[in-house]
Amino acid sequence: MEKNVSSLITIFGATGDLSYRKLFPSIYNLFQKGYFEHSLAIIGIGLNEFTTDEFREKVKNAIQNNIENPKKIDAFLKLLFYKQQDVNSKDSYHELLKMSLELDDKFDLKGNRLFYLAMSPKFFGIVTNHLQESGLTNVKGYKRIIIEKPFGDDLKSAEKLNNQIRKSFKEEEIFRIDHYLGKEMIQNIERLRFGNTIFEPLWNNKYISNVQVTSSETLGIEDRGAYYESSGALKDMVQNHLLQMVSLLAMEPPISRKSSDIRKEKVQVLKSLKCFNPNEIKKNFVRGQYDGGRMNNEFVPAYRNEPNVDSQSNTETFVAGKIEIENSRWAGVPFYIRTGKRMKKKSIQIVIEFKKNPMHLYYSNCEQNAPNLLVLNVQPNEGFSLCVNGKKSNQNNEMQKVKLPYTMPIKDKMNTVDAYENLIYDALIGEQTNFTHWEELKHSWKFVDDIENVWKQEQPQFPNYTSGSYGPKESEKLLSEDGLNWWNNL
C-alpha cells in the first residue's frame, strides 16, 4: 500500500451496525498503520441525539471490540466528529458544508472528500442530490462516493438509481462496494491465473471439465428478516458476490493491470452469459428455503418461523444454478454456483475440476482415475490446494489421490487486513479494480431478472431442505444429470 493519503471522510449511517463493526475499525487500522499522516477527519452522520464526545465513546468501544491492539485510539478519536442530521432536510446540508470547510482548513485535507453511504438504498438518490445542490461536491481536491449494496431491486430500479447518482458524481467517482472483492483469496484469483504458466495455458474448455463456486453459511438470517424478505438469496448473493467471482474466473487476460482494463474483461464475461429461456431456467436453477433442524446439538427454527418473516413466505434462502458462458474459451464448460443459509458448514470455496486423463494404462479401475482439482479456499481457511494422482506405496501399481495444500500461515492471517480496510483504502487512492462498474451491474441484473421473473410464476414447495444439510436434493441432481457431483469435503 502507498501512504500519505488525505481526506475528509463523511459517513452517512454512522450509528449503524456496519459502521461500528466494519467501517470505523477499518479506518482506524489504516490510521494506526500511518496511511494518513494525520491528514484525516471523519464526520459521522446519524439520527441519534449524540454529542461528539458521546459518539467518540461508542466508536471507541466498537474499535476495542474488533481490534486486538488499539494503541493510537485516543489520537484517532480526536479526528472524529458527529452531526445529527435528517438526510431528507435540504437545509442540513448547508450546515454540513460549513462543518466540512472548517475541518478541511483545520486538518489541511487539501479539499479531498470521500462520502460513504452506509444506509438504506432508498436514500442514495436523495443524499447525492443534496450533496450537489449544497455545494459539498464543489471541491479543490477529489470527490468520491462509496455505496453499499443492494444497488437497486432489479435492472429498472438500478438504472433509475444510477441516473440519479450520476447527476452528482461521474462513473469514475462512484465506488459500488462488494466486500467479497476485498477478500485476499478473491484478489488472488487473478494472480494465480495469470502469474503461473502451469495454470493459464490450461484455463479453457480443452482441459477444464467444470467450475464450482460455493458460498455457504451455517447461520440463518438472524435479525435481517425484514431485509431478507425483500431480497432473498438470488438478489442478496448471486447478483453480486457469485457473479463477480465467476467473472474473475472466466475473464480474458487484460492488456494491463489498470482497473479500466480489468473491469472491461469482467464486463465481457457478464455480457457472454447465456440467456436461458423459461424452461431452461427451471431446469438449470434450484431455489430452496431452510426448515428447522438440529445444528451443534441445538434446535434452530425454520425460515418461516424467524422474526419479521411471513409465516407463508416463499423467499428463497438457497440458490444453486448452472451457468454457461458463450465464448470460445468456455463453450461447453458449466459454471455451477451455490449459496445458502443454515448449511452444513460455513465455506466460500472455488473448485476448478480438470478433465480426467483419457489414458487408462495407469488405472486398474475407473475410480482411480480421479480428476485433478484446483481448490481455492476463500473462507474460513484461506489458501489453495492442488489435487493430483500418484502411486500408492505398494506392489500393485495402484493410484491414489494426493493433495498439495497451501494454507496461509498464522502470522500472515494475523496481518491479513479486513476486506473493508482494503476497499476503503482503494477508494481513498482512486483504485476502482475491486469495485463494481455500472456495466457489470447492468448485465448481472439482466441475468438475475430473467430468473426472478420465471420464479414469480410458480409457487415453490417450501421448506425443502433441513437446516444443517447441503441444501435441496434438486441441487445434487443439477450436477448428477451431467455425470458430476458437488465437491463438499475438500
Side-chain angles (χ1 to χ4, degrees):
M1 285 185 178
E2 302 172 15
K3 290 196 177 184
N4 301 323
V5 295
S6 302
S7 187
L8 171 62
I9 303 176
T10 304
I11 302 176
F12 291 84
T15 58
D17 181 63
L18 175 66
S19 296
Y20 287 139
R21 284 191 306 108
K22 294 292 185 180
L23 305 190
F24 288 116
S26 294
I27 298 170
Y28 170 75
N29 252 354
L30 292 171
F31 171 80
Q32 184 172 244
K33 294 172 183 177
Y35 289 106
F36 290 105
E37 298 275 321
H38 300 289
S39 294
L40 168 71
I42 305 168
I43 301 175
I45 293 176
L47 282 171
N48 303 76
E49 295 182 359
F50 295 147
T51 64
T52 287
D53 287 339
E54 290 172 335
F55 183 59
R56 287 174 175 174
E57 189 64 30
K58 290 184 178 296
V59 172
K60 181 178 182 178
N61 292 334
I63 291 172
Q64 289 175 331
N65 289 336
N66 289 279
I67 301 295
E68 290 186 4
N69 191 17
K71 294 180 181 179
K72 300 181 180 179
I73 193 166
D74 291 332
F76 176 75
L77 293 174
K78 292 178 181 178
L79 308 176
L80 185 64
F81 303 87
Y82 182 74
K83 183 179 186 303
Q84 181 190 13
Q85 180 172 334
D86 177 359
V87 296
N88 293 297
S89 170
K90 184 177 180 180
D91 292 339
S92 66
Y93 289 83
H94 296 292
E95 299 168 7
L96 179 60
L97 173 61
K98 181 181 177 182
M99 185 178 185
S100 299
L101 291 171
E102 290 173 352
L103 292 175
D104 184 83
D105 184 60
K106 180 178 180 180
F107 292 99
D108 189 25
L109 303 176
K110 301 176 176 58
N112 296 326
R113 290 181 191 159
L114 176 65
F115 303 97
Y116 200 124
L117 305 192
M119 59 201 311
S120 170
K122 67 182 180 182
F123 296 115
F124 291 173
I126 295 170
V127 171
T128 55
N129 184 53
H130 286 324
L131 288 175
Q132 183 196 40
E133 290 182 347
S134 64
L136 275 156
T137 57
N138 297 331
V139 295
K140 293 181 294 183
Y142 66 69
K143 68 177 190 294
R144 296 173 187 143
I145 188 165
I146 300 178
I147 298 173
E148 282 282 340
K149 74 178 185 75
F151 196 94
D153 296 315
D154 52 23
L155 178 57
K156 184 178 180 180
S157 61
E159 286 179 330
K160 180 180 179 181
L161 178 57
N162 193 60
N163 290 336
Q164 285 181 300
I165 296 172
R166 287 292 298 273
K167 292 178 181 177
S168 307
F169 294 86
K170 300 175 183 177
E171 176 63 31
E172 59 268 26
E173 297 171 332
I174 303 171
F175 292 73
R176 302 175 190 85
I177 200 165
D178 182 335
H179 70 273
Y180 269 46
L181 298 182
K183 295 181 182 295
E184 288 292 316
M185 284 309 300
I186 298 296
Q187 295 184 355
N188 224 332
I189 293 173
E190 182 190 346
R191 277 73 171 181
L192 277 172
R193 277 193 61 184
F194 305 127
N196 296 286
T197 56
I198 64 170
F199 291 135
E200 180 54 22
L202 309 180
W203 214 264
N204 53 60
N205 54 9
K206 184 177 180 180
Y207 296 101
I208 291 179
S209 164
N210 68 90
V211 178
Q212 300 180 17
V213 179
T214 296
S215 179
S216 60
E217 298 180 70
T218 55
L219 295 174
I221 57 163
E222 299 184 290
D223 59 352
R224 300 174 71 215
Y227 163 75
Y228 217 79
E229 278 289 86
S230 64
S231 174
L234 183 67
K235 295 179 181 179
D236 186 49
M237 294 294 295
V238 176
Q239 183 270 327
N240 39 75
H241 305 323
L242 270 65
L243 288 181
Q244 281 292 315
M245 286 192 278
V246 168
S247 67
L248 285 168
L249 290 162
M251 73 179 189
E252 294 296 317
I255 60 174
S256 78
R257 289 224 65 254
K258 291 181 180 178
S259 60
S260 57
D261 291 326
I262 293 172
R263 295 163 99 188
K264 178 181 177 181
E265 298 303 337
K266 290 170 64 182
V267 169
Q268 289 304 313
V269 173
L270 295 170
K271 289 173 70 174
S272 299
L273 297 179
K274 181 178 179 180
C275 297
F276 295 115
N277 63 44
N279 288 331
E280 290 173 324
I281 288 173
K282 293 175 185 178
K283 179 182 178 182
N284 291 341
F285 289 87
V286 174
R287 53 179 162 166
Q289 186 189 93
Y290 63 82
D291 201 353
R294 297 194 70 80
M295 298 185 69
N296 297 322
N297 297 318
E298 291 185 8
F299 179 80
V300 294
Y303 174 76
R304 290 178 173 180
N305 294 329
E306 298 277 20
N308 300 314
V309 171
D310 187 337
S311 61
Q312 300 299 315
S313 175
N314 287 322
T315 300
E316 77 284 350
T317 61
F318 175 97
V319 176
K322 175 182 176 180
I323 293 173
E324 297 178 27
I325 300 173
E326 297 186 311
N327 61 27
S328 58
R329 180 185 288 263
W330 296 113
V333 178
F335 282 68
Y336 299 102
I337 58 171
R338 176 176 56 165
T339 183
K341 293 189 175 294
R342 289 292 186 211
M343 302 282 280
K344 190 168 186 176
K345 65 179 182 179
K346 177 180 175 62
S347 175
I348 303 175
Q349 187 180 76
I350 298 165
V351 180
I352 291 84
E353 179 177 333
F354 294 89
K355 291 181 178 179
K356 292 183 179 181
N357 192 331
M359 296 178 62
H360 299 290
L361 174 65
Y362 296 100
Y363 312 111
S364 58
N365 61 65
C366 62
E367 291 183 1
Q368 293 180 0
N369 186 11
N372 298 148
L373 306 174
L374 175 62
V375 183
L376 280 66
N377 291 307
V378 181
Q379 283 184 339
N381 299 313
E382 293 115 316
F384 56 88
S385 59
L386 190 61
C387 300
V388 299
N389 296 312
K391 181 184 177 298
K392 279 187 177 181
S393 300
N394 58 30
Q395 276 70 48
N396 298 323
N397 287 323
E398 292 181 329
M399 301 285 284
Q400 67 176 350
K401 298 175 185 176
V402 180
K403 189 175 183 178
L404 309 175
Y406 166 78
T407 302
M408 187 179 293
I410 293 177
K411 64 176 184 178
D412 289 348
K413 284 185 179 181
M414 293 174 64
N415 294 325
T416 298
V417 298
D418 181 83
Y420 275 92
E421 184 181 333
N422 262 336
L423 295 172
I424 290 172
Y425 183 78
D426 281 350
L428 286 165
I429 63 173
E431 172 56 62
Q432 290 194 305
T433 300
N434 297 309
F435 292 85
T436 308
H437 190 278
W438 165 244
E439 286 296 314
E440 296 173 63
L441 195 67
K442 181 173 72 174
H443 291 289
S444 62
W445 266 127
K446 184 177 183 298
F447 183 79
V448 164
D449 281 354
D450 288 344
I451 302 170
E452 179 75 6
N453 291 335
V454 171
W455 282 357
K456 286 179 180 178
Q457 306 305 314
E458 294 183 353
Q459 294 294 313
Q461 298 298 312
F462 285 165
N464 62 348
Y465 72 96
T466 306
S467 291
S469 69
Y470 284 112
K473 293 180 180 178
E474 290 79 7
S475 170
E476 305 293 334
K477 188 178 178 182
L478 190 67
L479 277 75
S480 64
E481 289 184 344
D482 292 337
L484 302 167
N485 58 269
W486 290 107
W487 293 98
N488 292 322
N489 299 305
L490 294 173

